[in-house]
């Protein structure tokens, strides 16, 4: 990092540390996620709001290591891992046992309903989900879809120059053992692990 970024390399290493060789993959993955996905998505959201367009940002955070396409590598919530949830299609076609559980099914139900509502009306709000405010430059508020559906609003730590996620949570609950449901929960993408 110091060789590639003579100015700012130390800051980069402080924000994406890798004390051991085993930490390098995770640190590089976080950097690429922030640089390519989160940063560009934030920039597009800001640009759209300057043209009076409403934008709702989200971050997919559900990590199901058993559903990883690379069994021995924990990829986190990687790019495109939310697609089965968005389309309500959690069919497992691999040789390993089906990795999806009640939390996955409840999350897929909530996400699919949200995307359908957005496609029909141009607004993801409604149903049993909490009110999801549209993007306002400077607030960086976004919905996180994961083990629980939450609001994430980074709070800038001016001293360290690092964004700290402040999370307000709405619980994903299962109402029946075999038929998970989502109560009080809630769409443009941001910040996935890639």
């Amino acid at each position: 990092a110091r060789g590639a970024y003579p100015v700012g390399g130390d800051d980069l290493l402080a924000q994406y540390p890798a004390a051991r060789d085993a930490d390098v993959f995770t640190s590089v993955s976080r950097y690429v996620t922030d640089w390519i996905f989160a940063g560009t998505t934030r920039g597009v959201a800001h640009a759209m709001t300057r043209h009076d367009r409403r934008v709702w940002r989200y971050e997919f955070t559900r990590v199901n290591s058993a559903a990883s396409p690379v069994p021995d590598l924990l990829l986190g919530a990687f790019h495109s891992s939310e697609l089965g949830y968005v389309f309500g299609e959690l069919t497992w076609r691999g040789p390993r046992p089906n990795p999806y559980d009640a939390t996955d099914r409840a999350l897929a139900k909530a996400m699919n309903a949200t995307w359908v509502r957005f496609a029909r009306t141009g607004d993801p709000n409604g149903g049993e989900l909490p009110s999801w405010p549209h993007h306002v430059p400077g607030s960086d508020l976004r919905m996180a879809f994961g083990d629980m559906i939450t609001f994430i609003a980074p709070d800038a730590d001016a001293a360290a120059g690092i964004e700290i996620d402040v999370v307000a949570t709405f619980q994903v609950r299962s109402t029946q053992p075999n038929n998970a449901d989502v109560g009080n929960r809630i769409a443009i993408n941001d910040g996935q692990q890639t």
Side-chain angles (χ1 to χ4, degrees):
R2 287 184 187 100
Y5 303 100
V7 176
D10 288 332
D11 293 336
L12 181 68
L13 289 172
Q15 192 151 357
Y16 303 97
R20 304 169 299 133
D21 287 348
D23 301 333
V24 171
F25 178 82
T26 300
S27 292
V28 169
S29 178
R30 285 184 49 240
Y31 170 73
V32 169
T33 295
D34 289 349
W35 181 59
I36 294 176
F37 292 96
T40 55
T41 302
R42 186 180 302 111
V44 168
H46 290 347
M48 290 181 72
T49 59
R50 284 194 299 273
H51 295 281
D52 298 323
R53 300 290 187 245
R54 293 185 308 160
V55 176
W56 291 266
R57 290 176 55 206
Y58 80 93
E59 183 172 336
F60 187 74
T61 60
R62 174 74 171 142
V63 176
N64 183 333
S65 57
S68 174
V70 184
D72 298 329
L73 183 62
L74 181 59
L75 296 176
F78 57 91
H79 179 63
S80 78
S81 61
E82 83 277 21
L83 293 178
Y85 296 83
V86 167
F87 293 105
E89 183 58 46
L90 295 180
T91 303
W92 184 251
R93 294 181 174 88
R96 297 172 286 169
N98 187 334
Y100 300 114
D101 60 19
T103 299
D104 294 297
R105 289 185 295 277
L107 182 59
K109 182 178 177 182
M111 290 181 72
N112 181 258
T114 301
W115 265 251
V116 167
R117 193 169 26 261
F118 180 76
R120 281 187 185 144
T121 68
D123 188 332
N125 286 294
E128 297 179 5
L129 301 170
S131 178
W132 183 356
H134 58 85
H135 174 73
V136 176
S139 77
D140 222 17
L141 184 69
R142 60 195 183 275
M143 189 69 76
F145 289 94
D147 293 344
M148 301 180 82
I149 298 175
T150 62
F151 286 108
I152 298 176
D155 178 25
D157 180 351
I162 298 172
E163 290 183 341
I164 300 170
D165 284 341
V166 179
V167 179
T169 304
F170 294 87
Q171 184 176 3
V172 174
R173 62 179 161 76
S174 176
T175 57
Q176 299 175 13
N178 294 326
N179 187 11
D181 192 13
V182 179
N184 281 353
R185 341 288 165 242
I186 251 237
I188 304 272
N189 180 25
D190 196 8
Q192 300 182 100
Q193 280 286 23
T194 20

